[in-house]
Amino acid sequence: MKLGIMLPVSGVHASPATITTIAQAADRLGYDSLWTYERLLRPMAPLLPGPDGTLERIPDVYRTTFEPLETLSHVAALTSRIALGTNIVNPLFHAPVVLARRYATLDQFSGGRAIAGFGQGWMPQEFATAGVPMKRRGAGFDDVIAAIRACWGPDPVEYTGRFYSIEASEINPKPVRGDIPIVIGANTDGGIDRAARIADGITPLTWALDTVTAQAERFRTTAERLGRNPAALTVTAQTNHVMQPKPIGGDRPFLAGSPRQLAEDIEQLRDRGFDGVLFASPPADEIPTQIEMLDELRSLVPAG
């Protein structure tokens, strides 16, 4: 079972020093992947419902978010074997040729360790900032990923889609192994079906075992119906819960609690055919304790 960690790239305690500490610890302890994510801005306007139902601004943690690919390039130079992924970057906010070259550059400098985790985006202000209409989230998402894959293919690259076109050109660098895995953060039926058609895996947010199991089954069943090999695709359960030093009692949420409790949950996921688990970034002011817990969890969950 592959274990991944979100790097502490956002929030008041996020810093190059804390990112470096967690990255090197995860590499040393035998974790499989490190992840960053994209947030273009934190609007002043209220967007999300609060406890009383009135709209509030998105959480303060998004006030500062380090750029995902530059962060992973820094981490690549400080680690030796761990995979480096984005969960997620919104490709619609970028020119596909530029984004493809950035991922391929990361892949080259890391020796083939890059994973392209993409999502469709949800915040109107970010779409406006990028100059992209939100109505492009569906067909435009398919189109931009096809254009990116074309850039990673053999030269000359030539692509004509609904929203993007690339004149026959040499576009380099290329990925180390000829391609970079694309995984999609998907939880809705439509998003899962889209991922089954165009992606190499999904990273659904996981709140309940039966729910995420149904999502995994839908993803693989849809992929097989489309003529793809479901065994070649990955499902990584993602949790926003941070590991706790002591066990949680009572009605414990799935994938929440102490390392031993998490190990029990992970075994249930393994039994249901999941490929990995992705954990939330540890609070920067508790890094020594979090590293101890990461070490304990890795010892409890065999690799593979």
Side-chain angles (χ1 to χ4, degrees), residues 6-7 9 34-38 68-69 71-72 85-88:
M6 293 294 298
L7 284 166
V9 297
L34 293 165
W35 301 78
T36 59
Y37 70 90
E38 181 175 57
L69 289 170
T71 300
L72 290 178
T86 55
N87 188 61
I88 57 173

Side-chain angles (χ1 to χ4, degrees), residues 1-5 31 206 209 237-248 252-270 276-280 290 293-298 300-302:
M1 177 68 77
K2 295 186 181 297
L3 300 183
I5 306 170
Y31 277 73
T206 302
L209 177 59
Q238 178 188 175
T239 175
N240 282 337
H241 299 298
V242 177
M243 275 183 268
Q244 302 297 319
K246 296 181 180 179
I248 296 177
R252 178 175 66 90
F254 190 68
L255 286 178
S258 68
R260 189 163 295 279
Q261 288 176 317
L262 294 176
E264 294 170 357
D265 291 347
I266 291 169
E267 284 308 306
Q268 294 186 73
L269 290 168
R270 188 199 299 271
V277 179
L278 173 56
F279 290 97
Q290 289 291 325
M293 289 188 289
L294 290 173
D295 190 10
E296 181 181 356
L297 179 64
R298 182 73 276 187
L300 292 169
V301 180

Side-chain angles (χ1 to χ4, degrees), residues 150-151 154-160 165-169 171:
C151 294
D155 288 329
V157 171
E158 187 171 11
Y159 180 80
T160 302
S165 61
I166 304 169
E167 183 179 338
S169 304
I171 298 176

Side-chain angles (χ1 to χ4, degrees), residues 65-147:
T65 304
F66 283 93
E67 207 287 331
L69 289 170
E70 272 80 350
T71 300
L72 290 178
S73 295
H74 169 75
V75 168
L78 301 172
T79 57
S80 61
R81 40 150 295 276
I82 197 164
L84 307 170
T86 55
N87 188 61
I88 57 173
V89 158
N90 299 302
L92 287 169
F93 299 161
H94 307 270
V97 171
V98 176
L99 194 58
R101 293 183 68 251
R102 292 175 67 200
Y103 274 99
T105 298
L106 171 65
D107 201 54
Q108 285 285 337
F109 274 86
S110 66
R113 292 188 275 151
I115 303 172
F118 291 147
Q120 292 180 255
W122 64 271
M123 189 190 297
Q125 288 87 343
E126 289 190 328
F127 278 88
T129 297
V132 178
M134 283 197 73
K135 64 183 180 181
R136 195 177 293 179
R137 292 174 71 227
F141 188 73
D142 287 19
D143 200 11
V144 72
I145 288 182

Side-chain angles (χ1 to χ4, degrees), residues 16 134 219 274:
M134 283 197 73
F219 174 63
F274 283 75

